[in-house]
């Protein structure tokens, strides 16, 4: 036996040393673990792409807020200031989009393994979502319409100021899809839409698909723009609720829809 083990004081101090060294070891392991998981889960490409997207979202939100501004041009005559910035930012984002292989929702590269995994996941039950749609004669909240109108600036370039459609996007005015099942509309916003489409008895074969441009916006924003198109351009239908958008969030990241994926209106 060494003299240390016979000396209670020395034994006591040895015990505290051991606890100290052990804790230090734990702290080092924890720090290494945090540090290594940080570098393995983030790659510079993802970071860059995410940064650009969040920056775009921020400037879009600001531009949309500015879209609500009303200005008195002469005494008694007030006009809504057009949200020009929205068009500028939308254009910039479409031109500069460089998809990166990231796991984050709405940033999944088409055809990637992550997307395949998503596609194979069973989606929510659409009938549960559509069952939440309020009665057709439910009054529409003017504040929701105003918010929806501002957001519609992002859709206007392709679908026309009055939803009449154009060379790029099909009409929304009197489209049976717009006034049809709400789950279709939400899924189109969250996943995009491609391929030929029957609308108002006509076959449309768009030059380019509709990408899910507002999938990164919050539930209220998406619900309001859908409520807006369902109650503008001669359309009349029940509002879309934010909770219905929320129910379908797991659709984000799946591949673009085609007409066959939708419920026939
Ligand atoms: C870049 C152009 C573009 C933008 C921006 C765009 N869309 Fe579309 N949209 C399309 C195209 C193209 C289709 C048809 C896609 C297909 O069938 O291949 C479509 C289809 C639709 C449809 C279903 C068909 C119909 O006409 O009823 C709805 C609803 C719709 N878009 C709503 C919106 C809303 C709401 C926005 C704005 C948040 C929006 N779109 C923004 C191009 C666009």
């Amino acid at each position: 036996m060494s003299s240390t083990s016979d000396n209670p004081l020395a034994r006591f101090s040895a015990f505290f040393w051991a606890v100290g060294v052990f804790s230090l070891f734990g702290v080092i392991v924890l720090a290494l673990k945090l540090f290594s998981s940080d570098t393995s889960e983030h790659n510079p490409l993802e970071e860059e792409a995410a940064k650009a997207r969040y920056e775009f979202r921020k400037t879009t939100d600001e531009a949309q807020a500015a879209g609500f501004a009303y200005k008195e041009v002469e005494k008694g005559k007030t006009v809504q200031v057009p949200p020009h910035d929205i068009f500028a930012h939308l254009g910039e984002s479409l031109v500069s989009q460089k998809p990166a292989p990231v796991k984050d929702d709405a940033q999944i590269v088409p055809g990637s393994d992550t997307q395949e995994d998503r596609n194979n996941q069973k989606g929510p039950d659409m009938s549960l979502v559509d069952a939440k749609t309020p009665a057709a004669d439910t009054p529409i909240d003017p504040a929701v319409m105003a918010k929806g109108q501002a957001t519609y600036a992002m859709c206007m370039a392709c679908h026309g100021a009055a939803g009449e459609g154009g060379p790029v996007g099909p009409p929304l005015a009197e489209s049976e899809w717009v006034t049809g099942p709400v789950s279709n509309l939400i899924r189109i916003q969250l996943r995009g839409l491609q391929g030929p489409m029957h609308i108002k008895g006509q076959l449309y074969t768009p030059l380019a698909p509709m990408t899910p441009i507002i999938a990164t916006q919050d539930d209220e924003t998406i619900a309001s723009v859908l409520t807006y198109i369902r109650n503008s351009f001669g359309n009349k239908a029940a509002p879309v609720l934010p909770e219905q958008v929320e129910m379908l969030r797991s659709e984000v990241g799946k591949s673009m829809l085609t007409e066959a994926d939708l419920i026939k209106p």
Side-chain angles (χ1 to χ4, degrees):
M1 279 288 142
S2 73
S3 61
T4 325
S5 52
D6 298 334
N7 181 341
L9 212 66
R11 233 202 267 185
F12 200 57
S13 115
F15 171 73
F16 274 100
W17 269 104
V19 168
V21 169
F22 188 74
S23 314
L24 192 66
F25 181 70
V27 168
I28 290 171
V29 168
L30 200 71
L32 279 176
K33 201 167 156 3
L34 279 178
F35 179 73
S36 68
S37 73
D38 220 34
T39 49
S40 70
E41 278 175 19
H42 292 108
N43 80 41
L45 247 176
E46 289 177 11
E47 300 275 12
E48 274 311 302
K51 232 192 277 165
R53 284 180 168 92
Y54 290 125
E55 188 53 35
F56 168 63
R57 180 177 170 167
K58 197 172 138 262
T59 47
T60 307
D61 283 348
E62 283 163 8
Q64 280 174 358
F68 285 114
Y70 287 85
K71 207 172 163 184
E72 193 168 29
V73 280
E74 54 189 68
K75 193 138 178 58
K77 191 175 175 212
T78 306
V79 297
Q80 191 171 15
V81 181
H84 290 302
D85 288 2
I86 295 178
F87 298 116
H89 291 306
L90 181 61
E92 275 167 25
S93 96
L94 291 177
V95 170
S96 68
Q97 263 182 13
K98 291 190 198 72
V102 291
K103 290 244 175 191
D104 204 351
D105 283 1
Q107 298 180 10
I108 294 169
V109 171
S112 64
D113 289 347
T114 312
Q115 185 170 77
E116 273 311 302
D117 288 348
R118 284 287 169 105
N119 285 344
N120 292 333
Q121 278 166 26
K122 197 176 167 298
D125 186 345
M126 296 309 150
S127 62
L128 293 180
V129 178
D130 289 320
K132 298 239 176 219
T133 305
D137 57 356
T138 305
I140 310 292
D141 181 351
V144 171
M145 284 295 274
K147 190 175 166 69
Q149 186 185 27
T151 307
Y152 185 72
M154 295 177 75
C155 327
M156 225 185 254
C158 300
H159 291 290
E164 74 276 21
V168 186
L172 301 179
E174 289 158 35
S175 159
E176 67 273 34
W177 297 99
V178 173
T179 48
V182 162
S183 60
N184 283 342
L185 294 176
I186 299 171
R187 291 172 83 213
I188 291 172
Q189 299 308 314
L190 297 182
R191 291 177 60 172
L193 183 67
Q194 64 183 353
M197 182 98 181
H198 292 85
I199 303 162
K200 297 205 274 182
Q202 241 187 297
L203 182 65
Y204 286 83
T205 48
L207 298 167
M210 176 175 152
T211 54
I213 52 164
I214 65 167
T216 51
Q217 302 280 322
D218 61 23
D219 299 339
E220 276 80 17
T221 305
I222 296 176
S224 69
V225 75
L226 294 177
T227 299
Y228 175 75
I229 63 170
R230 280 163 70 85
N231 291 280
S232 302
F233 329 131
N235 298 336
K236 178 88 193 77
V240 175
L241 307 177
E243 61 171 301
Q244 292 176 296
V245 180
E246 192 191 353
M247 287 170 85
L248 285 169
R249 279 290 171 184
S250 61
E251 286 287 280
V252 175
K254 293 185 179 179
S255 50
M256 283 195 200
L257 298 159
T258 63
E259 182 174 358
D261 296 318
L262 300 170
I263 301 168
K264 250 191 159 21

